[in-house]
C-alpha cells in the first residue's frame, strides 16, 4: 500500500534545497532590506515620472522586464518597490527573487474582491489569514486549509493605519487561482468560514515568506463585489487617491517592522 497522497498538490517536500534556486545579479544600487510589493502599476509609474522612484534593475519573465524601484527619502530608510505580477505563481517567484537579493521585511498592498456588500469600495482590510484555494502555497508549507499572516507585520500595518486615522477591518481572505470559477456555492463556503474578501496571491506570498523566514504583511482595499445576485465592478480600479494612499501606508508599515 503506497503512502503517497492521492493528489500531487499534497505531496509536500520539506527539503529546503531545490534543483533551481533563485539567484540574480545584483542591481545597480544596493538592495534595501525592506520592500513593498505594490499591485498598482499606475501608482508606480506615476511615482517614477515624478522622480519619487528610481529604477535600479529588473526582474524578468516572458511578459517582459519588471522594474525594481528604489524609494529614497531624506531621513528615512530606503525601500525596494516592485509590482509582484498577477497570480500566485508569478508573485511567489518575484518574492523569492527579491528575498534572494537581500530583502528581509515585506509589505504588500493591493485590491481585492469583496464577498459581502457591507464592505464598501475603497474600505481597507488588513489580511489576517488566507484560505489556500490555490496551488503555490502547497509547495512551501504542509497541507492545511489556511495560512496565517505574520503577527508583527499585521501590528505594523495596524499602527500605520491608526496613526493616520484610516478606518480598517481585520479579516480573512480567500486566495483562489480560478477567478472565473468563483461560484455561488464556493463563495458561500468561504463566507461561512469567515472570509471577507477574495484575491489571487495572499496565501502564496504568506507561504513563501514563512518558508524563507521573512515577515510579510498585506493590506488591501475593497474593490468589486462578488455576490450571487451578480458581480459589480464598482469601478474599483479608478480609485487613484485610495491606491496611492495605500502604497504610502505600506511604506510606513514596512519601516515600522
Amino acid at each position: 500500500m503506497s503512502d503517497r497522497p492521492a493528489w500531487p498538490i499534497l505531496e509536500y517536500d520539506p527539503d529546503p534545497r531545490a534543483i533551481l534556486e533563485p539567484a540574480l545579479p545584483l542591481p545597480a544600487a544596493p538592495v534595501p532590506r525592506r520592500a513593498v510589493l505594490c499591485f498598482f502599476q499606475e501608482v508606480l509609474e506615476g511615482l517614477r515620472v515624478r522622480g519619487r522612484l528610481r529604477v535600479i534593475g529588473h526582474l524578468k519573465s516572458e511578459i517582459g522586464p519588471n522594474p525594481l524601484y528604489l524609494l529614497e527619502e531624506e531621513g528615512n530608510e530606503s525601500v525596494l518597490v516592485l509590482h509582484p505580477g498577477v497570480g500566485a505563481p508569478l508573485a511567489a517567484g518575484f518574492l523569492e527573487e527579491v528575498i534572494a537579493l537581500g530583502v528581509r521585511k515585506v509589505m504588500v498592498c493591493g485590491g481585492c474582491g469583496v464577498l459581502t456588500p457591507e464592505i464598501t469600495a475603497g474600505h481597507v482590510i488588513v489580511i489576517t489569514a488566507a484560505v489556500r484555494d490555490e496551488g503555490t502555497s502547497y509547495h512551501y508549507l504542509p497541507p492545511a486549509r489556511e495560512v496565517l499572516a505574520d503577527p508583527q507585520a499585521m501590528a505594523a500595518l495596524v499602527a500605520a493605519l491608526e496613526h493616520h486615522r484610516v478606518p480598517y477591518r481585520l479579516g480573512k481572505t480567500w486566495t483562489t487561482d480560478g477567478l472565473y470559477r468563483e461560484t455561488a456555492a464556493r463563495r458561500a463556503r468561504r463566507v461561512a468560514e469567515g472570509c471577507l474578501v477574495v484575491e489571487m496571491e495572499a496565501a502564496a506570498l504568506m507561504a513563501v515568506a514563512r518558508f524563507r523566514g521573512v515577515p510579510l504583511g498585506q493590506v488591501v482595499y475593497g474593490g468589486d463585489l462578488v455576490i450571487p445576485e451578480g458581480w459589480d465592478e464598482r469601478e474599483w480600479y479608478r480609485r487613484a487617491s485610495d491606491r496611492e494612499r495605500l502604497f504610502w501606508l505600506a511604506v510606513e508599515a514596512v519601516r515600522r517592522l
Side-chain angles (χ1 to χ4, degrees), residues 47-65:
L47 291 170
R48 184 197 65 80
V49 169
R50 282 148 47 195
R52 302 298 301 274
L53 296 177
R54 176 165 62 94
V55 177
I56 61 169
H58 293 85
L59 303 179
K60 297 177 181 179
S61 75
E62 287 290 355
I63 61 174

Side-chain angles (χ1 to χ4, degrees), residues 81-128:
V81 177
L82 67 147
H83 194 297
V86 176
L90 184 58
F94 282 162
L95 177 58
E96 281 269 41
E97 291 176 358
V98 296
I99 290 173
L101 289 174
V103 167
R104 292 296 176 266
K105 298 183 179 184
V106 181
M107 288 293 169
V108 184
C109 62
C112 63
V114 300
L115 301 177
T116 57
E118 66 191 61
I119 299 177
T120 58
H123 196 82
V124 174
I125 301 99
V126 176
I127 293 177
T128 59

Side-chain angles (χ1 to χ4, degrees), residues 115 131 133 145-146 172 174 181-196 228:
L115 301 177
V131 172
D133 193 13
R145 191 162 189 84
E146 300 178 3
K172 186 188 302 184
W174 166 23
R181 292 299 301 150
E182 296 166 356
T183 64
R186 291 172 70 82
R187 173 202 166 273
R189 286 196 290 268
R190 299 298 175 260
V191 171
E193 62 186 302
C195 291
L196 301 180

Side-chain angles (χ1 to χ4, degrees), residues 35-39 84 106-110 157 205 216-220 250:
V36 169
L37 278 56
C38 174
F39 281 94
V106 181
M107 288 293 169
V108 184
C109 62
L157 280 167
L205 292 171
L216 177 145
Q218 184 162 351
V219 61
V220 294

Side-chain angles (χ1 to χ4, degrees), residues 48 132-133 161 168 174 249 252:
R48 184 197 65 80
R132 298 167 61 186
D133 193 13
L161 290 164
Y168 68 92
W174 166 23
L249 287 165
E252 179 174 329

Side-chain angles (χ1 to χ4, degrees), residues 158-170:
V158 167
L161 290 164
E162 292 188 346
H163 176 74
H164 293 281
R165 299 182 180 179
V166 177
Y168 68 92
R169 291 183 64 166
L170 300 173

